[in-house]
Amino acid sequence: MKQRLQGLIAGITIGALCAGGIAYAKSTTETIEVTYSDIRVYTDGEEVDMKDANGQSVEPFIYNGTTYLPVRAVGEAVGKEVSWDGVEKVVYLGAKPGETENWLDVCGPYEYVEGHKEYRLTDNEYFTMSGNKYTNGFTLGSNRDSAALFNLNGKYESLSFTVGHVDGSAQEDATLNIYLDGIIAYTKDLKYEDVATKVTVPLNNALQMKIEVTGGHNFTSNHYGFSEGIFE
């Protein structure tokens, strides 16, 4: 089915695309003929329910041999926040320039096991390690062999994060274990007197990950923190 469409071009219509409209490459107005062919979009084997910011169904179309997809619907389908700057006429997928996406939003734990607490900047909460404040992370208590479980869906090559002893908690050493698809892939001795340090773990497109802290004694409040995570 072909239809004739008229709309604002360039950045203005990219903004419309974010809401389910049309995108072009000029900054003028013109009428074009596009083809609707009941195009469906799949990501990782699952069909995407294409909707705009108002929840209305939107449909991809073909123009001059190119298939155009609604930015917002596709961005959200692949786990990217979509935002529109109407002044600069720019669409952002995920973090804006100079910003880093919060790893808890990108691929945060879907479940915690024992002795955990999550901290987010939006909640104005933080924990301290080696005298420095950290947020957008979580703590695990080694006295309960606590863990954070992640569903990676095979999307990532590596994960970097900062880990350290939480100031003010019981002064006990522990062990960090990271499991990928049920097999231990990384181990690190955690010393309470060590400063917080950056760790990079190869993920090799694993499907699942478990970050576990073990080795503490029962009935003590010994915690280790994890923050500044970056998936790649």
Side-chain angles (χ1 to χ4, degrees), residues 35 68 81 127 163 174 228:
T35 302
Y68 291 82
E81 181 180 355
F127 57 96
V163 59
E228 301 179 338

Side-chain angles (χ1 to χ4, degrees), residues 17 22-23 39 57 84 97 107 119 126 148 151 154 184 194 200 205 215 217:
L17 187 69
I22 312 162
I39 298 170
S57 296
W84 161 245
C107 183
Y119 296 80
Y126 64 87
N151 188 4
I184 191 164
D194 289 346
T200 298
N205 300 110
H217 296 88

Side-chain angles (χ1 to χ4, degrees), residues 54-94:
N54 298 316
Q56 300 298 314
S57 296
V58 289
E59 184 179 348
F61 60 83
I62 300 172
Y63 172 61
N64 280 350
T66 299
T67 302
Y68 291 82
L69 306 178
V71 172
R72 182 173 300 279
V74 174
E76 292 178 351
V78 297
K80 293 290 185 180
E81 181 180 355
V82 179
S83 56
W84 161 245
D85 186 334
V87 176
E88 298 295 332
K89 306 300 187 292
V90 176
V91 172
Y92 295 102
L93 295 178

Side-chain angles (χ1 to χ4, degrees), residues 5 22 37 78 98 129 157 163 179 191 208 214 221 223-224:
L5 298 177
I22 312 162
S37 300
V78 297
M129 300 186 297
E157 293 287 344
V163 59
Y179 295 81
K191 305 292 185 179
Q208 295 180 318
T214 65
S221 179
H223 291 84
Y224 284 83

Side-chain angles (χ1 to χ4, degrees), residues 11-24:
I12 296 177
T13 49
I14 292 176
L17 187 69
C18 287
I22 312 162
Y24 307 92

Side-chain angles (χ1 to χ4, degrees), residues 62-186:
I62 300 172
Y63 172 61
N64 280 350
T66 299
T67 302
Y68 291 82
L69 306 178
V71 172
R72 182 173 300 279
V74 174
E76 292 178 351
V78 297
K80 293 290 185 180
E81 181 180 355
V82 179
S83 56
W84 161 245
D85 186 334
V87 176
E88 298 295 332
K89 306 300 187 292
V90 176
V91 172
Y92 295 102
L93 295 178
K96 299 178 181 178
E99 292 182 347
T100 300
E101 286 186 288
N102 180 1
W103 68 317
L104 299 182
D105 295 331
V106 173
C107 183
Y110 68 87
E111 184 177 346
Y112 291 96
V113 180
E114 297 289 352
H116 78 278
K117 182 171 176 60
E118 187 172 287
Y119 296 80
R120 289 179 179 263
L121 180 61
T122 53
D123 298 327
N124 296 316
E125 292 188 343
Y126 64 87
F127 57 96
T128 62
M129 300 186 297
S130 308
N132 295 319
K133 294 180 180 180
Y134 292 87
T135 187
N136 291 335
F138 55 89
T139 60
L140 298 175
S142 65
N143 59 310
R144 299 181 181 178
D145 292 349
S146 58
L149 309 180
F150 296 75
N151 188 4
L152 304 177
N153 286 318
K155 295 180 179 179
Y156 308 106
E157 293 287 344
S158 67
L159 169 63
S160 299
F161 57 86
T162 297
V163 59
H165 181 261
V166 176
D167 296 345
S169 68
Q171 296 182 344
E172 291 186 2
D173 298 336
T175 300
L176 167 64
N177 296 317
I178 297 182
Y179 295 81
L180 298 176
D181 294 332
I183 300 174
I184 191 164
Y186 180 88

